[in-house]
Amino acid sequence: MVDSTSRLPTQPRRLVVVGASLAGLRAVEAARKAGFDGEIVLVGAEPHLPYDRPPLSKAFLDRAVAGEGLAPPPYFRTAETMCELGVELRLGVPASGLDTDRRVVLVGDEEVAYDALVIATGAQPRMLPGVEGLAGVHALRTLDDSIAVREALEAGARTVVVGAGFIGSEVAATARKRGLEATIVEALPTPLVRATGREMGAAIAALHERNGTTLRCGTGVRAIEGDGRVERVVLEDGTTIPADLVVVGIGVVPSVGWLAGSGLTLDNGIVCDENLWTGVPGVYAAGDVANWVNPLLGERQRMENWTAAAEQGAAAARNALDPEHARPYGTVPYFWSDWYDVRIQFVGSPDADEVLLVDGDPDGGSRWVALYRRSDRLIGALTVNGQGEIMKYRGQIMKRGSWADALVFAEKRRELARQKAAAAAG
Amino acid sequence: MKCVVDYGKCTGLGICESLAPDFFEVNDDGDLELLKEDIAPDELQAVEEAVAGCPTEALSIER
Ligand SMILES: Cc1cc2nc3c(=O)[nH]c(=O)nc-3n(C[C@H](O)[C@H](O)[C@H](O)COP(=O)(O)OP(=O)(O)OC[C@H]3O[C@@H](n4cnc5c(N)ncnc54)[C@H](O)[C@@H]3O)c2cc1C
Ligand code: SF4
């Protein structure tokens, strides 16, 4: 590998960030916060100012609140704020190529030159084949997707969600909240295994049935049919489900198509070292597109969560502007999801030797805490309605806490809860 | 220096608690409790990380 500082004799004067979403925004803000006073260009494929995605499958889809109307788009910043930051926005045209020898990004038919480059092009949803041109079938990644889904929900759509992941589950929960029929179809026998492991995947999925959403696992989709507009979903086993809205939530792929032939190493995203450096002078990556080595878990990972995208955006920009003092980025991964009246939170890694329930009861209960063990270490924690517990375990994983200590701590927490309950009972 | 929470924005996600547990704790109801306000110089970095890490931008530092 080339030294990251070679061919960069002077301080970078021009930072280009490609991808104008969470990671890209945090990159430009961190650059300014670090005192960088050179030019900054932020290139984004979407016409919109940077906006927040988690609400798009949650509150943004909700019914109008009396007197307030539907939720406004969750923009992070106004155009004026971006202007005050001294950021040149180039929105609405995707970058289509990168020449790392000449240090230029191709945007439309223009070349945008950089000294330092942060790539934050995120990920895009996988789509089912054969649904192009069929109205009422949507992925859910962008503001435009969410507006279209909300319109269908407003019209009272019978909703079918393909894929029982977090985003699809949130959409189904929203549809139920509006009193609409909702069905989730999942090809695998158990949902959420990759994110939370087998035992907990099944337990969390059971929340759907309890809230009136039909969950059909172990059956793929054979066809989505309709005359110009979706009318039904046909499953592999021949079942037909009538539908006015189909939301496809079968995962995302990192947006790296535009980097073909650029010389960057592409393998499940952009391959980076622990400093988020791509190995090409001046070029760093951040967010859902970055496949980096997480020193805290000692694993190569690509995250698809808010916290990592925000933090990596900032870290990549700081490192890109001052490679000599680059600092590794490590994190204990964290994500949350809100369904019905339940908040699901997960920290760490689900890749464990043992999963142990330490509080509550998934069978019928809507609050529980599970810990994940890898050899003699605490490696992950899942809480369902356990907001008071989850971050204490994140702290322990950060400090590489042992499994034995985690169990002692869990017992202490149970004892504390018993005392509180006893006091409350008088 | 003081740490300020905008409770109208906070949704109790708890990232702040994992980054600066001396200042923030989310209770069982999912509400954030500010354990102390005043920030000593050696605590500033942790609180700044919490401010940057909060997904709802509910935290700020009054200097
Ligand atoms: C509906 C939904 C709900 C979510 N809920 C949660 C949640 O509850 N908790 C959680 O932790 N995470 C959640 N996430 C995940 C979180 O939003 C993502 O991890 C985060 O948005 C990643 O940020 P990013 O900036 O890396 O990428 P993205 O947000 O994907 O942004 C990448 C941007 O780059 C642009 N782009 C792509 N290619 C190009 C190109 N060639 N040139 C220029 N621009 C380009 C794209 O148009 C896009 O605007 C959710 C995501 C979605 C979609
Ligand atoms: S991180 Fe933000 S939203 Fe979460 S508890 Fe702290 S202040 Fe509230």
Side-chain angles (χ1 to χ4, degrees):
Chain A
M1 247 183 207
V2 209
D3 172 24
S4 60
T5 55
S6 67
R7 302 198 299 141
L8 227 177
T10 51
Q11 290 292 316
R13 292 308 305 153
R14 200 173 147 88
L15 170 68
V16 173
V17 176
V18 182
S21 180
L22 175 60
L25 175 71
R26 290 301 177 101
V28 305
E29 290 184 339
R32 287 296 182 229
K33 189 147 187 267
F36 176 71
D37 59 1
E39 280 175 78
I40 300 183
V41 183
L42 180 59
V43 180
E46 295 179 67
H48 306 290
L49 284 166
Y51 57 84
D52 201 17
R53 293 184 203 274
L56 298 182
S57 51
K58 306 180 181 73
F60 186 76
L61 294 179
D62 283 349
R63 211 183 246 139
V65 180
E68 287 181 30
L70 293 165
Y75 293 118
F76 285 117
R77 305 283 178 267
T78 61
E80 293 81 70
T81 308
M82 297 306 289
C83 185
E84 279 163 23
L85 263 181
V87 174
E88 182 189 333
L89 290 169
R90 296 200 174 210
L91 302 177
V93 182
S96 51
L98 168 65
D99 183 335
T100 58
D101 286 329
R102 292 172 46 236
R103 291 197 179 218
V104 292
V105 175
L106 200 65
V107 181
D109 41 16
E110 260 184 87
E111 290 188 336
V112 179
Y114 66 87
D115 298 325
L117 174 68
V118 174
I119 302 175
T121 45
Q124 58 204 60
R126 242 183 240 127
M127 221 21 195
L128 289 170
V131 298
E132 303 82 18
L134 199 58
V137 183
H138 302 279
L140 184 42
R141 183 79 193 175
T142 65
L143 179 58
D144 298 343
D145 293 336
S146 187
I147 288 171
V149 168
R150 185 169 72 180
E151 269 169 16
L153 293 173
E154 286 277 298
R158 292 164 300 175
T159 305
V160 175
V161 172
V162 181
F166 284 106
I167 292 176
S169 293
E170 289 178 344
V171 174
T174 314
R176 286 299 304 146
K177 206 156 130 193
R178 286 170 171 265
L180 304 175
E181 263 173 56
T183 306
I184 303 178
V185 184
E186 168 62 56
L188 297 173
T190 313
L192 301 171
V193 170
R194 193 171 61 98
T196 64
R198 188 166 308 281
E199 299 89 337
M200 289 301 128
I204 299 171
L207 293 168
H208 284 307
E209 296 285 346
R210 248 187 269 158
N211 285 280
T213 298
T214 309
L215 176 63
R216 303 205 42 150
C217 292
T219 326
V221 170
R222 182 187 298 163
I224 297 183
E225 297 176 349
D227 186 7
R229 158 162 281 289
V230 61
E231 289 163 26
R232 71 197 80 82
V233 176
V234 185
L235 305 187
E236 291 290 0
D237 67 3
T239 319
T240 298
I241 311 171
D244 310 303
L245 166 68
V246 174
V247 176
V248 181
I250 53 174
V252 295
V253 286
S255 304
V256 293
W258 67 285
L259 294 167
S262 67
L264 297 190
T265 311
L266 306 176
D267 179 12
N268 182 27
I270 301 171
V271 176
C272 309
D273 69 5
E274 54 180 25
N275 296 339
L276 299 164
W277 182 45
T278 63
V280 172
V283 184
Y284 291 71
D288 283 11
V289 80
N291 173 351
W292 99 121
V293 177
N294 182 356
L296 247 159
L297 296 183
E299 285 170 28
R300 181 165 275 292
Q301 300 185 304
R302 188 176 63 77
M303 304 272 89
E304 289 171 7
N305 66 62
W306 196 99
T307 307
E311 293 176 348
Q312 287 183 352
R318 285 193 295 262
N319 289 349
L321 293 172
D322 190 4
E324 273 175 67
H325 301 104
R327 294 225 321 247
Y329 170 75
T331 188
V332 172
Y334 167 59
F335 68 80
W336 77 93
S337 186
D338 298 328
W339 317 358
Y340 313 103
D341 54 351
V342 172
R343 171 162 284 174
I344 299 157
Q345 289 167 293
F346 187 88
V347 295
S349 164
D351 181 8
D353 301 323
E354 179 188 354
V355 179
L356 187 71
L357 193 71
V358 295
D359 199 4
D361 178 16
D363 284 331
S366 58
R367 178 187 183 280
W368 71 87
V369 179
L371 300 183
Y372 294 63
R373 174 181 69 80
R374 191 186 297 168
S375 77
D376 58 356
R377 233 176 108 178
L378 174 71
I379 195 77
L382 169 85
T383 62
V384 173
N385 278 341
Q387 287 100 315
E389 307 300 314
I390 189 76
M391 287 303 162
K392 303 190 168 64
Y393 293 108
R394 189 174 192 228
Q396 293 181 29
I397 301 169
M398 274 179 189
K399 292 188 202 119
R400 298 183 158 73
S402 74
W403 179 246
D405 287 348
L407 295 186
V408 170
F409 180 79
E411 173 51 33
K412 254 193 231 153
R413 296 294 297 175
R414 282 196 301 269
E415 181 53 35
L416 194 71
R418 276 193 292 270
Q419 284 169 8
K420 270 194 201 159
Chain B
M1 278 175 300
K2 271 188 181 357
C3 178
V4 182
V5 183
D6 181 341
Y7 289 98
K9 286 186 181 168
C10 170
T11 58
L13 285 165
I15 291 168
C16 53
E17 178 178 344
S18 65
L19 297 169
D22 295 342
F23 285 82
F24 309 105
E25 184 171 16
V26 178
N27 66 22
D28 292 340
D29 299 328
D31 297 324
L32 177 65
E33 291 174 9
L34 192 59
L35 304 177
K36 61 175 176 182
E37 264 185 352
D38 292 318
I39 309 167
D42 63 329
E43 296 170 326
L44 185 60
Q45 198 193 340
V47 179
E48 276 185 339
E49 279 175 21
V51 171
C54 170
T56 63
E57 304 192 333
L59 301 177
S60 54
I61 297 173
E62 220 169 66
R63 289 176 199 260

